[in-house]
C-alpha cells in the first residue's frame, strides 16, 4: 500500500486556527515541505515506534490525497486524484522550534521514520463530497482533532497547481494537505484512531523509544 508512493509533499499552515495556535502568520501563498518515503507507515492497528529522546512528538491529522496521473492544467480533480485517506504528519515540535529559530529546513523535525502515517485508502469522490464530511483523531478514546477541508486556506486545486508548477506532480505522489487546530504532544503508549465521516479507517499505538 505504501510501496508505490513516490513523493510526499506536505502543506504547512493551511488552516487559520492552526496557524494561530502556533503563533504563525497566515500564509499568502501555499507553504510546502516534503518527507522521505522512509517516513511512511500504515495505521493498521500496529505499534509505531517514534523518537522518545528529542522533545515532544506532535500529532497533526490531515487529509492525504494520492495522484492518479501526471498533473495537467484543466484536468478535473477526479481525474488527477484517485484515492484519499486521513494521515498523521508527525512532528518533533521542539526540534522544529529550534530549526525555525535558526531558519534551517524542517527535515529533522518532519522527516523521521514513521512520521507519515496513513490510514486505509478510500476512493476520491470529488471536492464537494469530500467537503461534506469531517475527519477526526481520537487519542485514548477522546477526540482531539476535527477538521473539514472547507476550512482550508488553500483549496485542493490551488495546492495541486502550485505543487505541479514548483516541484512536479505525477502518479504515486501524495500530499498531506495541512492540519486543523488541536495539535498536541503524544505520550508513550497512546492509542490513536483516525476517522473519516465518523467511521474508523486507521488505528495505531505509539511507543516513544529512548536510544540515548
Ligand atoms: Zn502538517
Amino acid at each position: 500500500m505504501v510501496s508505490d508512493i513516490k513523493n510526499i509533499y506536505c502543506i504547512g499552515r493551511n488552516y487559520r486556527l492552526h496557524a494561530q495556535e502556533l503563533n504563525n502568520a497566515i500564509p499568502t501563498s501555499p507553504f510546502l515541505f516534503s518527507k522521505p518515503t522512509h517516513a511512511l507507515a500504515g495505521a493498521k492497528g500496529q505499534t509505531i515506534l517514534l523518537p522518545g529522546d528529542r522533545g515532544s512528538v506532535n500529532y497533526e491529522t490531515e487529509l492525504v490525497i494520492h495522484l492518479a496521473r501526471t498533473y495537467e492544467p484543466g484536468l478535473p480533480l477526479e481525474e488527477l486524484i484517485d484515492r484519499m485517506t486521513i494521515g498523521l504528519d508527525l512532528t518533533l515540535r521542539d526540534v522544529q522550534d529550534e530549526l525555525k529559530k535558526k531558519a534551517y529546513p524542517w527535515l529533522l523535525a518532519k522527516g523521521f521514520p514513521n512520521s507519515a502515517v496513513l490510514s486505509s485508502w478510500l476512493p476520491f469522490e470529488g471536492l464537494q463530497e469530500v467537503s461534506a464530511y469531517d475527519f477526526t483523531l481520537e487519542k485514548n478514546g477522546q477526540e482531539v482533532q476535527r477538521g473539514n477541508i472547507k476550512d482550508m486556506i488553500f483549496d485542493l486545486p490551488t495546492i495541486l497547481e502550485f505543487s505541479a508548477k514548483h516541484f512536479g506532480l505525477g502518479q504515486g505522489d501524495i500530499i498531506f494537505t495541512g492540519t486543523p487546530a488541536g495539535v498536541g504532544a503524544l505520550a508513550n503508549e497512546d492509542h490513536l484512531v483516525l476517522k473519516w465521516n465518523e467511521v474508523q479507517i486507521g488505528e495505531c499505538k505509539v511507543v516513544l523509544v529512548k536510544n540515548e
Side-chain angles (χ1 to χ4, degrees):
M1 178 209 71
V2 297
S3 58
D4 71 326
I5 291 171
K6 301 210 171 71
N7 295 294
I8 307 169
Y9 300 128
C10 306
I11 315 291
R13 303 173 192 167
N14 202 23
Y15 289 78
R16 205 169 298 277
L17 294 177
H18 168 64
Q20 287 168 352
E21 76 181 341
L22 295 185
N23 295 315
N24 290 312
I26 309 293
T28 52
S29 71
F31 170 76
L32 280 92
F33 56 93
S34 73
K35 293 183 187 245
T37 50
H38 303 295
L40 290 166
K44 304 271 185 188
Q46 81 283 35
T47 295
I48 289 179
L49 305 181
L50 299 172
D53 49 12
R54 284 178 253 163
S56 71
V57 184
N58 271 206
Y59 51 81
E60 296 188 0
T61 312
E62 314 195 359
L63 176 85
V64 183
I65 53 174
H66 179 276
L67 270 285
R69 51 168 297 165
T70 302
Y71 180 86
E72 283 176 40
L75 276 182
L77 225 52
E78 294 79 357
E79 284 187 37
L80 285 169
I81 305 169
D82 54 357
R83 295 182 255 163
M84 55 163 264
T85 192
I86 305 307
L88 294 170
D89 161 22
L90 297 178
T91 305
L92 284 163
R93 191 70 71 201
D94 298 311
V95 173
Q96 186 191 30
D97 288 344
E98 287 306 307
L99 295 169
K100 279 184 190 170
K101 276 184 211 156
K102 295 177 184 165
Y104 281 3
W106 290 359
L107 186 57
L108 275 174
K110 292 283 199 179
F112 55 93
N114 300 333
S115 65
V117 179
L118 298 175
S119 304
S120 300
W121 291 107
L122 304 169
F124 181 81
E125 313 269 14
L127 200 52
Q128 297 277 314
E129 290 76 2
V130 178
S131 306
Y133 302 113
D134 290 353
F135 57 88
T136 57
L137 173 67
E138 289 173 9
K139 186 174 71 135
N140 306 324
Q142 294 238 304
E143 183 177 303
V144 288
Q145 279 195 289
R146 175 172 286 267
N148 186 301
I149 68 161
K150 61 177 186 266
D151 298 323
M152 283 179 168
I153 297 170
F154 303 105
D155 63 10
L156 294 183
T158 305
I159 288 168
L160 291 168
E161 184 190 1
F162 186 93
S163 303
K165 177 180 171 189
H166 292 281
F167 318 115
L169 260 190
Q171 196 280 328
D173 291 346
I174 65 170
I175 305 178
F176 281 74
T177 57
T179 188
V183 303
L186 291 171
N188 194 37
E189 306 214 332
D190 274 347
H191 178 252
L192 304 177
V193 169
L194 295 135
K195 289 187 176 176
W196 169 251
N197 186 20
E198 320 303 334
V199 176
Q200 177 173 327
I201 58 168
E203 177 186 12
C204 61
K205 190 175 96 169
V206 300
V207 167
L208 304 180
V209 181
K210 289 190 189 341
N211 284 318
E212 287 144 42

